[in-house]
Amino acid sequence: MTLRDALLAGLNSLPGTREFHLHVLVSSPRKHGNLFPFANPRPRSYLQDILILLSEQTTPDSSPVFVSAIEACVYNIPTTSCAILYVSKVDSTGQATAPSPTPALVRALLLFYADPATRPISANHLWIHVFARAQNQYLFPNSSEYPNKRPLSDIKLCAWWKRQFSTVV
């Protein structure tokens, strides 16, 4: 199963019939030496960048509108059989049909990497790190000006992440 397939399966949990367009960009693994700057010798590590963009088409005649995006990185440390999934940005435009697809998309991403059967890298241990800082917009410029967008406060954002992890675990 590919990451795109897992994300599409996660979106199937949303009620009703909706037309989504999913774009998943994953870079090739490349050497990354700055993960442990004070380790001597530095362990060999590899980095993959992930960008997920989701658009929704509300009617057959309308054009798709971006509704959610996720930016993440996967670090692979083969010498210790460990991996780190770092979710650096999650953003929405506020233009999605309710309920928002963002939580389902995030849960599907976390579940894909947390499950050793679907994880695309061989690692016995996985750490998931998130950057949770409330901002009006991250990946969609000027999205905070859209009246239906409801940015969360820092406390509500941490509670939101806790719910996502609790569902995955």
Side-chain angles (χ1 to χ4, degrees), residues 51-113:
L51 179 65
I52 300 165
L53 296 165
L54 181 70
S55 59
E56 184 173 9
Q57 190 170 352
T58 53
T59 64
D61 297 334
S62 66
S63 58
V65 176
F66 283 116
V67 294
S68 298
I70 302 171
E71 180 183 286
C73 301
V74 177
Y75 296 92
N76 183 13
I77 305 106
T79 54
T80 58
S81 188
C82 295
I84 301 168
L85 172 64
Y86 173 60
V87 182
S88 56
K89 294 176 185 160
V90 175
D91 197 9
S92 67
T93 61
Q95 298 182 44
T97 306
S100 173
T102 306
L105 199 63
V106 168
R107 285 191 302 268
L109 172 69
L110 296 177
L111 190 58
F112 178 76
Y113 280 99

Side-chain angles (χ1 to χ4, degrees), residues 9-155:
L11 290 171
N12 279 337
S13 67
L14 295 171
T17 304
R18 296 165 75 172
E19 174 126 3
F20 291 117
H21 300 270
L22 182 65
H23 309 276
V24 179
L25 303 170
V26 180
S27 70
S28 298
R30 64 184 183 278
K31 287 185 179 180
H32 184 75
N34 296 332
L35 188 58
F36 302 106
F38 301 109
N40 193 9
R42 287 190 181 169
R44 191 169 33 108
S45 61
Y46 298 92
L47 168 66
Q48 273 187 298
D49 296 308
I50 301 169
L51 179 65
I52 300 165
L53 296 165
L54 181 70
S55 59
E56 184 173 9
Q57 190 170 352
T58 53
T59 64
D61 297 334
S62 66
S63 58
V65 176
F66 283 116
V67 294
S68 298
I70 302 171
E71 180 183 286
C73 301
V74 177
Y75 296 92
N76 183 13
I77 305 106
T79 54
T80 58
S81 188
C82 295
I84 301 168
L85 172 64
Y86 173 60
V87 182
S88 56
K89 294 176 185 160
V90 175
D91 197 9
S92 67
T93 61
Q95 298 182 44
T97 306
S100 173
T102 306
L105 199 63
V106 168
R107 285 191 302 268
L109 172 69
L110 296 177
L111 190 58
F112 178 76
Y113 280 99
D115 185 359
T118 57
R119 190 181 309 146
I121 54 176
S122 61
N124 293 333
H125 305 283
L126 175 75
W127 283 271
I128 300 176
H129 293 256
V130 298
F131 180 79
R133 180 176 176 223
Q135 293 289 313
N136 291 339
Q137 60 197 25
Y138 269 115
L139 295 168
F140 296 111
N142 302 324
S143 64
S144 62
E145 296 171 7
Y146 189 74
N148 290 347
K149 184 165 180 171
R150 297 181 314 269
L152 301 176
S153 67
D154 283 328
I155 292 172

